[in-house]
Amino acid sequence: MTLGDATVVEEIVRDGCYVSDFQFDPPDLAALAGRVDDLSFVDLLDVGPGTGFGTTTPEPTPPDARHLDIVADATDDTGLTTLLLPGVAGPSEVDLIASYEDAFDLVRVGVDADDPHAARPLLRELAGLDVRTSLNLLKTYLVSPAEAIDAAHFGVEHGAEVVYVVDSAGGFTPEDVGRYVTSLTDTGAAVGYHGHDNTGFALANAVAAIDCGASYVDASLQGIGRSAGNTQTELLCGRYPSDVPREDWRRLREIEEVVESVYPGESGVAVDDVLYGLAGFHSSFSDQLRALAAEYEASFADVLVFAAKHDCSTVDDVRRAYEPGKQESTPVRPDAAEPSMN
């Protein structure tokens, strides 16, 4: 599945672990990867420490081989990706990926956008693997869109099938993203977008990237990631509700507890609040909605998702429309009428 026709790359492991200095308790890492694997709209999980396999400072826990063993064992339906950096990763890290080749769908090589030639050794090493490769233009703002095109052509010439626009500092606007993504769509490579939220545009920028033809978009549960964080996965779901089945909204609510246990004190917009927004449902009615769910012997999650799906902006709206035991597994409706204010 996709969100807005873009493949979703979940960043809660690799970019998320910046907030924990690349430290995971193995059971927590397994639980996190396993819960992401349950989300049907997530196609790829970015794994490894923040600066990629081969990182020595800070020393990641668990070590690279054990980390990869844990996430590969915890995921069945979600492909893996990772980011390799020249000077950090080398032949031994490529060999490690090769030993899990069946689990990887994409391997990304990150270089500063003004030095694409630094990717050549790693792209050459990866050429022998049966896995797609990406050239990630870190700090894409260092170059103009025209220079980004030249860098993309270099990547394609050396085997990259994907080229990423990367807003490393989180300062892009949607217009900036549109210029870069649009410029790269004719380079012969699929285009990806990875953004940060330093100026509050992460979600709008991700949507702009998708609108302009990006095939991959990165997001992180609760927006957790380096610096001000990444595009928040739950908010991105809210922009493409027709692509999110009811079961996934329930799973997103459940995974909040796992994320909190792995990254204590780190949080973004709660799933319930996203659903209140989709329904036009004022949060002050939540206690009444919980009572209605108890009356119907239904889960609060199911009733709340129903409210969002059916544009029920009051408890009375839900009571009139909800039929206990007859709720099908359908996505939230994207074209609901404008809700009244409460």
Side-chain angles (χ1 to χ4, degrees), residues 152-197:
H153 283 144
F154 173 83
V156 171
E157 290 168 5
H158 289 80
E161 298 176 67
V162 183
V163 176
Y164 254 79
V165 174
V166 183
D167 181 18
S168 305
F172 272 171
T173 65
E175 291 75 19
D176 296 327
V177 173
R179 283 193 293 272
Y180 282 97
V181 171
T182 300
S183 69
L184 295 180
T185 54
D186 293 327
T187 60
V191 181
Y193 178 73
H194 178 101
H196 287 263
D197 202 28

Side-chain angles (χ1 to χ4, degrees), residues 36-306:
V36 170
D37 191 51
D38 290 336
L39 298 171
S40 68
F41 63 86
V42 173
D43 293 308
L44 294 174
L45 173 63
D46 196 8
V47 301
T51 48
F53 292 127
T55 293
T56 56
T57 305
E59 184 176 354
T61 301
D64 291 350
R66 179 62 180 142
H67 178 113
L68 192 46
D69 184 60
I70 290 169
V71 295
D73 188 58
T75 51
D76 294 318
D77 300 319
T78 305
L80 301 183
T81 185
T82 195
L83 179 71
L84 300 182
L85 301 180
V88 176
S92 61
E93 283 69 40
V94 174
D95 288 344
L96 175 62
I97 290 170
S99 66
Y100 289 89
E101 189 172 352
D102 290 344
F104 277 93
D105 288 350
L106 180 70
V107 177
R108 308 188 283 188
V109 177
V111 294
D112 284 349
D114 59 355
D115 188 20
H117 293 80
R120 183 186 287 116
L122 281 172
L123 289 174
R124 184 183 298 122
E125 291 281 348
L126 291 165
L129 303 186
D130 185 20
V131 62
R132 302 185 85 194
T133 55
S134 171
L135 178 65
N136 279 34
L137 299 176
L138 309 180
K139 311 179 189 75
T140 302
Y141 42 80
L142 293 175
V143 299
S144 67
E147 291 169 320
I149 291 174
D150 291 339
H153 283 144
F154 173 83
V156 171
E157 290 168 5
H158 289 80
E161 298 176 67
V162 183
V163 176
Y164 254 79
V165 174
V166 183
D167 181 18
S168 305
F172 272 171
T173 65
E175 291 75 19
D176 296 327
V177 173
R179 283 193 293 272
Y180 282 97
V181 171
T182 300
S183 69
L184 295 180
T185 54
D186 293 327
T187 60
V191 181
Y193 178 73
H194 178 101
H196 287 263
D197 202 28
N198 297 63
T199 54
F201 282 109
L203 176 61
N205 287 344
V207 172
I210 294 170
D211 288 346
C212 291
S215 299
Y216 294 85
V217 64
D218 294 6
S220 184
L221 291 163
Q222 291 297 294
I224 295 172
R226 183 184 57 79
S227 190
N230 302 105
T231 303
Q232 184 176 335
T233 300
E234 297 89 342
L235 293 177
L236 192 62
C237 288
R239 294 303 300 267
Y240 300 98
S242 64
D243 295 334
V244 185
R246 176 175 285 108
E247 291 87 349
D248 277 341
W249 287 111
R250 285 199 295 263
R251 292 163 183 153
L252 284 169
R253 293 181 81 249
E254 293 165 359
I255 203 172
E256 283 183 336
E257 294 183 9
V258 178
V259 171
E260 170 61 25
S261 70
V262 177
Y263 302 119
E266 301 289 336
S267 64
V269 179
V271 176
D272 286 0
D273 289 324
V274 176
L275 291 169
Y276 291 147
L278 289 174
F281 191 96
H282 200 288
S283 60
S284 64
F285 300 150
S286 62
D287 287 345
Q288 298 173 51
L289 192 64
R290 290 180 186 279
L292 184 65
E295 177 185 331
Y296 287 156
E297 297 183 344
S299 73
F300 175 69
D302 281 347
V303 176
L304 181 55
V305 173
F306 178 89

